Amino acid sequence: MEHVPPPAEELARLDRELAELDARRAQLLTRRAWLLAALRPPAPTAAPGWNPSAWGAPAAGRPGAPAQPWGYVPPKRPSAPNSAQNLLLTLGGLLLTVAAIAFTLVSWGSMGIGGRSAVLAAVTVGALAAPAVLLRRGLTATAEALAALALVLTLLDAYAVHAVAAPDTDGLGFTAVAAAVLAALWTAYGLALGKLHLPLPAAVVLAQWPLLFGAWAAGAPTLVVGWALLATAVLDGAIALWGKGTGVRVTACVGGSVMAFSALMVGLTLSVTASGPLGALAPGALLLTAAAAALAGAWRAPRGFARTGGVVAGLAAVAAVGGVPAAAVPEGWRVLAYLLAGLALTAVVRTRLPGNAAIGVLVASAAAVAGALVGTVPGLAAVLLGPVTLPSDVWAGSPEGFRAAVGSTLPWPKLAAAPVVLALVAGLLGAAYRWWPSLARIAAPLIARETPESAGAPAPGASGAAAPAAGAPWYAGGGAGAPWYAGGAPAARRWPSGAALRGAAGAGAAVLGWGALLLAGAVLDVPYAVAVAGETLLVAGLLALAVRGAGSGRDGSAAVPVTALVVAVAGAVSAGLLSLASEGASYAVFGALAALFAGAAVRAGAGVPRAVFAVAATVGSTVLTGFAGRSLGLAPHEAAPLVLLVPALTVLFGARLRRNPVALPVELTGALGALVAVVPAVPDAPFLALVLALCGVLAAGAAVRPERRPVAGYLAAALFVLATWVRLAASEVSFPEAYTLPVTVPALVVGFLRRRKDPEASSWTAYGPGLAATLLPSLAVVWTDPGWQRPLLLGVAALVITLLGARYRLQALLLLGGAVLALDGLHELAPYVVQVAGALPRWLPPALAGLLLLVVGATYEQRLRDARRLKDALGRMR
């Protein structure tokens, strides 16, 4: 019988074989690329290199073998001799330029028309002819300087011709003709003297103005000026693609960018301000032509420029196509026309447009969608942040509608399309999330059409193609044989995985759908009760999505459940604030929210979502107890013990769950609720003592559990002591020792017995609570006692305790006694310190402080060592 392995073993074997095939394919493609390069004739300027190929191929530099990329040394370009002669001639050319300008502008009137023409013509011809001679002698720098002089002279010639020969000619028209003539002249001159770098870029600069100045001179309308700008930009684009030299292309690229941007602004302004659809057709034609020109340039441009051209083309097409219907609808609905035009750009994935240009168009589509979404932000902010003002006037009465509840003055009719925009984008993202594999297979050819030089790897089947080091081919995405749209690792980390993209689409659909429903309620101004109920139901739906997504994990991404969880919490806060206007709505909403979050905590799996659900349920329950105190007519300090019901339940909940990860967040939330209960009780000392004592009971209950004892035990002791102090202060007790010493003595006896049984026990555990019960209240009374007996007795007691701590190496006694002794001594010395400080000059304290800082800074290392020794000594104490 034939052995059939288990499915898991067979799958692992298939994965290994596929990886070996891919690695072998990569080796063969690399070898093929090298062989194709070896068959080409060697470059004449290539330097000999070294070929460390494992195939045993001949070293680069031999006949017929090219140099490897890592062994190739590019030849150095010959540089012009930097001699003193060149420097002097360059300076001379600059001085001649200055002299020519001064002659033309200052000394022009002292000569006749013939003399002036002869001088300018002779100097210009000489300046144009000199660079040719200088280039033959190798004086490149001087030739460039004289070419710059000749450029200035030709501009001066144009000025002179206008001032003398044609003074009545329109300035803009003459400038347009002169710029065209000079551009042609310097183009021919630059092509004739190819070694000069200045003439051709200067010709490109001069070519920017003929059409623009000509349109202005003719008094053309703004649209014609836009066409002139666009035509100039197209000319610049052609020069940037096919021009000669880097300087020419860079200059043309900069000029074309400026002219194209100006043309687009003209078309966009005219389209937006058009009085109707017919008025928007002509600017739309300008924008569409600009889009076609940008797309044509992107077809041949390298990666970055191609994508930029695609973006420009897409945005121009959106403005052109969307501007016509936008001019026919009310102002609040115009954004929808541009949004639909932007969404239509996604059809580019079905065209044969090059990959980089198509990606640019898709970026433009995303930008149009993002711009439409940005327009909805003010409305959403008003809906979410408007109820923040309601806590200042709780239960003042139900408002009439949603808009009155949020208290916003926004022009809601102009935001009529905002919910539609959010709903449309949310629906599309939801569809993308639902049918992601099908959509990704449609977009896969776009990834394959990306140009090899931009992708870092050749297209499939191209000559000399080199595959990645391992895994599937780059156009399939790699990653365990899975394509990128199915969740595989992207090639060269350029493309996100399919799971991440799908998760982002689902998360965006959840957020935008929630925002659409909220904003629709405000735009329609639904009744207050409907708004409150609707927001609560939205929270319920988001919680269901969060629980379901966290449990299923279908898409392999946590983006959807996490986003749903975050939005549910934000929606719960908004709904809770909105409900504060009415007593009944407050109970209904917070009760429903507490139940919803508690149910979600029960249904969710272990982890962060479950803890968040439980914490939110605890917060909602705490708020409900506060509402109960207000409904019973209790004062804030009288309602404080009622708020402690939820913290008590959290202690019981923590004891029930034991080491469950959810227990700690819930208990911490209950502790914060207890702190909230303490705050309103502060004005009333007896109630404050009661609340502190109840908090101490809760902390002691938590300390019963061993895992909570290190923190809860100390907290319980501190709360009990603090409650005692507050009670004594509320009873106006002038001798607190009569109440604290009976507690301190047995506490110290118990601590002594504990230390005898367990010598390793901390002195803070054994003696800290007992000492603090007497020392700290007595210290507080000392600072208000004008007599001398109490400070003396307290100081003697603190001194004895400090000495005992030092003798028996007990940290609690040493630190508590020392601190009380220092503060008691400071109380006794304070009047004298104040008297001395008043007698000292004002400048002396800052001077002494500065001197102290200097001394400490100079002996910083020694002080640091002393501090470390003190820390170690204290750390060795018990």
Side-chain angles (χ1 to χ4, degrees):
M1 298 177 63
E2 183 179 356
H3 171 67
V4 178
E9 180 181 350
E10 185 177 2
L11 179 61
R13 183 184 303 172
L14 289 176
D15 287 340
R16 286 195 299 269
E17 293 178 359
L18 288 173
E20 292 174 359
L21 289 175
D22 289 334
R24 178 59 178 166
R25 182 177 183 275
Q27 293 177 354
L28 293 176
L29 287 173
T30 303
R31 179 60 179 171
R32 181 176 180 275
W34 190 91
L35 291 174
L36 288 173
L39 293 176
R40 301 191 186 99
T45 57
W50 175 57
N51 175 30
S53 174
W55 298 86
R62 297 180 183 178
Q68 294 292 331
W70 49 79
Y72 174 69
V73 180
K76 295 183 177 180
R77 298 180 60 182
S79 60
N82 190 15
S83 62
Q85 181 182 12
N86 275 352
L87 180 59
L88 292 175
L89 289 174
T90 302
L91 293 176
L94 294 178
L95 291 176
L96 283 175
T97 302
V98 175
I101 296 174
F103 169 78
T104 305
L105 299 179
V106 179
S107 302
W108 185 259
S110 61
M111 299 179 65
I113 184 64
R116 289 178 288 183
S117 302
V119 170
L120 268 181
V123 174
T124 304
V125 171
L128 290 172
V133 179
L134 293 173
L135 287 176
R136 286 197 295 268
R137 297 188 179 183
L139 303 176
T140 308
T142 308
E144 292 285 356
L146 288 181
L149 172 63
L151 176 61
V152 175
L153 287 174
T154 54
L155 296 177
L156 293 175
D157 286 336
Y159 167 76
V161 169
H162 180 263
V164 177
D168 299 329
T169 308
D170 179 61
L172 286 176
F174 183 86
T175 303
V177 175
V181 172
L182 290 177
L185 171 64
W186 281 96
T187 300
Y189 187 76
L191 293 176
L193 300 179
K195 293 183 179 180
L196 292 179
H197 300 289
L198 178 64
L200 290 179
V204 173
V205 173
L206 291 169
Q208 306 302 308
W209 311 113
L211 292 177
L212 179 60
F213 286 161
W216 281 350
T222 307
L223 185 61
V224 177
V225 175
W227 281 105
L229 291 170
L230 180 59
T232 306
V234 171
L235 176 63
D236 289 330
I239 296 173
L241 287 175
W242 294 293
K244 179 182 179 182
T246 304
V248 175
R249 294 188 175 187
V250 170
T251 306
C253 195
V254 173
S257 300
V258 174
M259 293 297 174
F261 178 78
S262 302
L264 291 174
M265 288 299 101
V266 169
L268 180 61
T269 303
L270 294 176
S271 177
V272 171
T273 58
S275 58
L278 295 179
L281 287 177
L286 174 63
L287 293 171
L288 280 179
T289 306
L295 208 57
W299 200 286
R300 295 179 174 270
R303 175 182 180 180
F305 292 98
R307 292 188 177 181
T308 303
V311 172
V312 172
L315 293 177
V318 169
V321 176
V324 176
V329 297
E331 183 179 356
W333 294 91
R334 291 182 179 179
V335 64
L336 196 59
Y338 292 105
L339 174 62
L340 294 175
L343 293 174
L345 291 180
T346 55
V348 73
V349 298
R350 305 296 292 176
T351 65
R352 300 303 300 171
L353 196 67
N356 290 316
I359 290 172
V361 175
L362 291 179
V363 171
S365 175
V369 175
L373 294 177
V374 168
T376 65
V377 171
L380 284 175
V383 171
L384 294 177
L385 302 180
V388 173
T389 59
L390 291 177
S392 61
D393 195 11
V394 177
W395 296 354
S398 301
E400 294 181 359
F402 196 3
R403 296 182 191 175
V406 299
S408 175
T409 58
L410 287 177
W412 292 105
K414 294 184 179 180
L415 297 175
V420 181
V421 169
L422 291 172
L424 179 60
V425 179
L428 292 175
L429 290 177
Y433 176 77
R434 175 63 180 84
W435 292 289
W436 172 255
S438 301
L439 295 176
R441 289 190 186 95
I442 295 174
L446 176 64
I447 309 303
R449 293 203 305 271
E450 192 177 15
T451 55
E453 60 271 13
S454 66
S463 298
W474 72 271
Y475 52 85
W484 69 273
Y485 53 79
R493 300 295 179 185
R494 288 179 297 103
W495 295 100
S497 67
L501 292 174
R502 184 182 185 189
V511 174
L512 297 179
W514 171 68
L517 293 175
L518 282 182
L519 201 52
V523 170
L524 298 175
D525 196 17
V526 298
Y528 172 74
V530 176
V532 172
E535 288 204 26
T536 308
L537 290 176
L538 284 177
V539 174
L542 290 168
L543 288 177
L545 181 61
V547 172
R548 182 169 175 265
S552 63
R554 281 186 311 156
D555 59 347
S557 171
V560 175
V562 169
T563 304
L565 173 59
V566 173
V567 177
V569 173
V573 173
S574 178
L577 292 175
L578 188 65
S579 69
L580 294 180
S582 170
E583 181 178 3
S586 298
Y587 278 107
V589 169
F590 278 94
L593 291 177
L596 287 172
F597 278 102
V602 173
R603 293 294 303 273
V608 175
R610 188 174 189 182
V612 174
F613 294 144
V615 167
T618 305
V619 172
S621 302
T622 305
V623 175
L624 283 175
T625 57
F627 288 160
R630 184 181 178 90
S631 297
L632 294 174
L634 302 177
H637 65 275
E638 294 174 341
L642 190 62
V643 179
L644 293 177
L645 289 176
V646 174
L649 292 176
T650 60
V651 173
L652 298 176
F653 180 77
R656 176 70 177 84
L657 291 182
R658 291 293 178 179
R659 299 185 181 276
N660 193 299
V662 180
L664 180 59
V666 172
E667 290 182 85
L668 291 177
T669 307
L672 291 177
L675 180 60
V676 171
V678 170
V679 173
V682 170
D684 191 279
F687 263 94
L688 178 60
L690 173 63
V691 172
L692 289 174
L694 292 176
C695 291
V697 172
L698 296 180
V704 173
R705 297 155 54 196
E707 66 273 12
R708 300 286 186 262
R709 188 171 301 154
V711 176
Y714 288 113
L715 182 60
L719 288 172
F720 283 132
V721 172
L722 185 59
T724 304
W725 297 345
V726 173
R727 182 66 258 184
L728 293 176
S731 301
E732 298 181 355
V733 174
S734 57
F735 294 97
E737 292 82 4
Y739 299 91
T740 58
L741 283 176
V743 177
T744 295
V745 173
L748 293 178
V749 171
V750 172
F752 177 75
L753 296 176
R754 168 74 186 277
R755 288 273 300 170
R756 288 190 60 183
K757 183 179 180 180
D758 182 13
E760 297 298 322
S762 171
S763 61
W764 289 99
T765 304
Y767 304 119
L771 292 175
T774 295
L775 289 179
L776 298 182
S778 299
L779 181 63
V781 175
V782 159
W783 278 84
T784 59
D785 190 354
W788 59 271
Q789 296 88 353
R790 187 188 301 275
L792 177 61
L793 294 176
L794 180 62
V796 171
L799 177 62
V800 172
I801 292 172
T802 303
L803 294 176
L804 288 176
R807 170 66 179 81
Y808 293 103
R809 305 180 64 79
L810 298 176
Q811 189 180 100
L813 276 66
L814 181 62
L815 294 182
L816 273 176
V820 172
L821 181 61
L823 293 174
D824 184 62
L826 179 62
H827 169 264
E828 294 302 305
L829 293 177
Y832 303 101
V833 171
V834 172
Q835 183 178 359
V836 172
L840 290 177
R842 294 293 182 89
W843 57 266
L844 188 58
L848 292 177
L851 181 62
L852 177 63
L853 291 177
L854 288 176
V855 172
V856 173
T859 60
Y860 175 74
E861 294 296 334
Q862 181 62 35
R863 302 285 79 78
L864 194 60
R865 288 193 292 270
D866 294 342
R868 289 195 182 112
R869 284 197 293 270
L870 178 61
K871 177 184 175 182
D872 294 339
L874 289 175
R876 288 191 294 269
M877 293 182 178
R878 283 291 171 186

